[in-house]
Amino acid sequence: MELETERIFNLKVPMNGISEECKAEIDRYLICETGHTILDPKFDWVWLNRRGTFPKRAAAWFRRVLKIDLTGEQMSKLGNIAKAHSDLNEDFWIDFTKKLSWERGEFGDGSSCFWTANREARYALEVDGAYAVRFFLPNPFGSWVGQDDGETYIGIARCWLVERYRNGQKFLIIFNAYARENELDLLKIARILSFHFGCSYKKIELTNYGETTGMVYINAGGLGYAIGATEVIKGLSRFDLEIGNAPETCTSCDIAVWGEDAIWAPNGDGPYCKDCYRERYAICDGCGRDVAIEDVTRGGNCKYCQDCADSMEQCPNCSEVFFPENGTRMFVGVSDDGRAKEEVWCGVCERGYFCRSCNTRWRRAEMICNHETAYRMECPICYARRNVGDELEVAV
C-alpha cells in the first residue's frame, strides 16, 4: 500500500454491476482456491451494499457458512476480477498529500478546528508523516491542476490518513472526513480506498493519547476506519494514534492539557490548565509578570508584584498607590513659615481635585483654598457652607 503523493489521478470504482460473466469467473477462482463457491440464493451479487463491498461480504459468507477464512490475497483477487469485468464504474479524482496547508474550506472543511482552535494539530500530523486524502471534480474554473492531464479541478472532500503497523505489517487509518454537501462520508471513503488498494476495511474506535477531544480532535466521538489486509486488521476494534506529544495533566484539576494550553508558573510550579492558572496567578499591572495571588499588592483595581509595590508611592489625596514617574507635584497650601506646601499626587487626582471635606472631585479651577482651615482645598459648596452657615441652600 504505497501512496504516491502530489498527483491527482482518476479512480474508477465498480458500482453494483456484477455481470453473469463476472460471476462465472469468480466461481471458477473460488473453486480452484477453496474447493467451494457461493451457492446461497440470498447472496446479494452486487459490488456494494450496506454491508460493504463484494470481497468483504464474500469473505464473511465463507467464514460464517463454510468456516473458511479467505486470505487478503484472495480477497484482493476477487476485487480485481470484479473490477476487470465491471462496465458500471463511478469516477473519483483523488490525491494523497503530506502538505496540509491549503486554505480553510477548500475541501468542504470550513468547520474543521484544525484551521482554528486546534491548528497546531496540523503541524503534529505533518511531523507524524500523516497524509490527507483529497477528492476533486474537474472544473474549468478550478484552482488545482492535474499533473498528468493538465485539467483543472476543484476540491470537494478530504480526510486524514496515517500509516501504522500491527504485528510488523502496515495498515492505514482514516478519520475526520469533510465534504461539500455530504457527497462523501468516511465510510464511503474507506470503501473507495479498500478497492484502490485491493484490501479490507474495518470500523474502529480511535483515540489520541486516550482522548478524542484533545489537540488532535477526532470527529464523531472517535470514528475511524482501518484499511489493510484482512489478517492484519482482523480483531482490531480500537487504536490510539499517539500523534504529537502526550498531554500534560493539570496539577489542580487533573484534566488533560494539550500543547500550549499547559501553563507553567515562573517558579516552575505547574502545569496548570488556563482556568486553574488564573485562579492562582495574576498579571502584575506594573511590569506584566505573573505573580502568585497571595503575593499580590492591590492598588485600586490594579494588582502589583512586590517589586513594583516597593517602588510605588501612596497618593496623599486618595491613598491609592502609583509609580513616582506618573505622579504630579501639586500645590496644597501654605506652611506656617509662609512657604508653599506641595504633595505628589497620582494622575487621577491631578486630573481632578478632591474636596478635603466631602471627598468629591472637582475641576482644578473650581477648587478654593481655605486659609482658615490650614489651606485645605475645598469645593465651592463646602467652602460656602463653612463661611455662610449650614443653612445655605445651594442649587446643584
Side-chain angles (χ1 to χ4, degrees):
M1 290 188 293
E2 296 301 321
L3 281 67
E4 182 181 358
T5 61
E6 314 307 331
R7 183 176 74 87
I8 299 174
F9 61 93
N10 179 221
L11 179 63
K12 295 183 180 293
V13 178
M15 297 176 67
N16 286 359
I18 295 182
S19 64
E20 290 301 320
E21 180 187 2
C22 180
K23 288 170 63 176
E25 184 163 343
I26 289 172
D27 286 341
R28 288 193 295 270
Y29 174 74
L30 289 174
I31 291 172
C32 178
E33 289 287 315
T34 68
H36 301 274
T37 189
I38 302 172
L39 299 175
D40 188 348
K42 295 183 179 179
F43 187 83
D44 194 6
W45 284 88
V46 295
W47 171 257
L48 181 67
N49 65 17
R50 63 184 181 86
R51 295 182 180 274
T53 58
F54 169 74
K56 183 177 180 179
R57 289 182 289 111
W61 186 91
F62 264 77
R63 188 182 309 114
R64 184 181 69 255
V65 177
L66 303 175
K67 310 303 181 187
I68 296 175
D69 286 328
L70 297 182
T71 67
E73 184 179 352
Q74 289 169 334
M75 292 179 63
S76 177
K77 181 63 175 179
L78 287 176
N80 290 336
I81 293 172
K83 178 180 179 181
H85 288 79
S86 176
D87 57 358
L88 295 174
N89 295 313
E90 186 174 3
D91 284 306
F92 295 97
W93 288 266
I94 70 174
D95 81 349
F96 301 99
T97 182
K98 288 188 173 183
K99 299 176 182 178
L100 314 182
S101 56
W102 60 87
E103 292 295 324
R104 176 187 177 190
E106 281 194 81
F107 292 87
D109 52 1
S111 60
S112 171
C113 64
F114 283 55
W115 268 258
T116 54
N118 289 24
R119 55 185 174 273
E120 63 186 278
R122 277 189 293 148
Y123 173 73
L125 286 172
E126 289 179 340
V127 171
D128 187 79
Y131 299 81
V133 185
R134 304 185 298 189
F135 288 78
F136 302 83
L137 277 180
N139 188 294
F141 303 104
S143 57
W144 299 90
V145 179
Q147 291 78 1
D148 296 337
D149 55 16
E151 293 283 344
T152 55
Y153 298 85
I154 59 170
I156 60 169
R158 64 90 171 153
C159 71
W160 304 131
L161 181 151
V162 295
E163 297 176 319
R164 291 296 185 264
Y165 288 83
R166 191 173 187 229
N167 300 324
Q169 293 183 282
K170 184 167 70 175
F171 68 100
L172 309 176
I173 294 175
I174 60 171
F175 61 101
N176 287 20
Y178 285 87
R180 300 179 188 271
E181 301 178 0
N182 297 319
E183 294 167 348
L184 289 164
D185 60 15
L186 196 62
L187 173 58
K188 189 168 185 179
I189 293 175
R191 290 170 174 167
I192 293 169
L193 294 181
S194 70
F195 170 78
H196 175 60
F197 293 114
C199 58
S200 301
Y201 66 91
K202 191 176 191 298
K203 180 180 176 181
I204 60 173
E205 295 177 18
L206 207 55
T207 55
N208 192 57
Y209 292 108
E211 300 278 337
T212 60
T213 58
M215 179 187 67
V216 179
Y217 192 102
I218 303 171
N219 293 349
L223 174 64
Y225 281 89
I227 301 169
T230 304
E231 57 269 23
V232 177
I233 64 175
K234 181 181 178 181
L236 183 65
S237 60
R238 56 177 59 88
F239 194 88
D240 196 280
L241 294 171
E242 296 184 356
I243 293 175
N245 296 323
E248 304 281 0
T249 300
C250 176
T251 303
S252 177
C253 66
D254 293 330
I255 68 168
V257 191
W258 294 86
E260 296 179 356
D261 289 336
I263 306 175
W264 297 80
N267 62 3
D269 186 26
Y272 291 104
C273 66
K274 291 181 180 179
D275 291 339
C276 290
Y277 187 79
R278 285 306 165 207
E279 289 176 0
R280 289 162 176 75
Y281 292 88
I283 299 175
C284 173
D285 289 305
C287 63
R289 294 182 298 177
D290 287 356
V291 55
I293 292 294
E294 58 269 22
D295 297 330
V296 163
T297 298
R298 295 183 181 273
N301 294 325
C302 297
K303 306 179 185 70
Y304 301 100
C305 66
Q306 194 59 51
D307 290 341
C308 288
D310 291 343
S311 66
M312 300 177 79
E313 295 184 4
Q314 188 175 48
C315 178
N317 193 48
C318 67
S319 299
E320 295 292 346
V321 294
F322 64 96
F323 290 102
E325 60 268 23
N326 296 330
T328 302
R329 188 169 295 276
M330 306 290 294
F331 170 76
V332 294
V334 179
S335 63
D336 293 338
D337 58 3
R339 295 182 180 181
K341 288 181 62 176
E342 294 183 340
E343 295 175 349
V344 178
W345 284 14
C346 67
V348 174
C349 291
E350 186 275 331
R351 287 190 292 272
Y353 274 33
F354 280 83
C355 173
R356 291 296 185 92
S357 296
C358 66
N359 203 36
T360 57
R361 184 185 299 163
W362 291 74
R363 291 191 299 274
R364 184 184 306 181
E366 296 173 327
M367 299 295 286
I368 301 173
C369 180
N370 191 337
H371 297 272
E372 296 178 0
T373 55
Y375 296 96
R376 63 189 294 164
M377 304 299 292
E378 291 184 332
C379 67
I381 294 177
C382 291
Y383 179 84
R385 283 177 174 160
R386 186 179 298 281
N387 289 276
V388 178
D390 293 338
E391 69 277 9
L392 174 70
E393 294 184 4
V394 181
V396 179

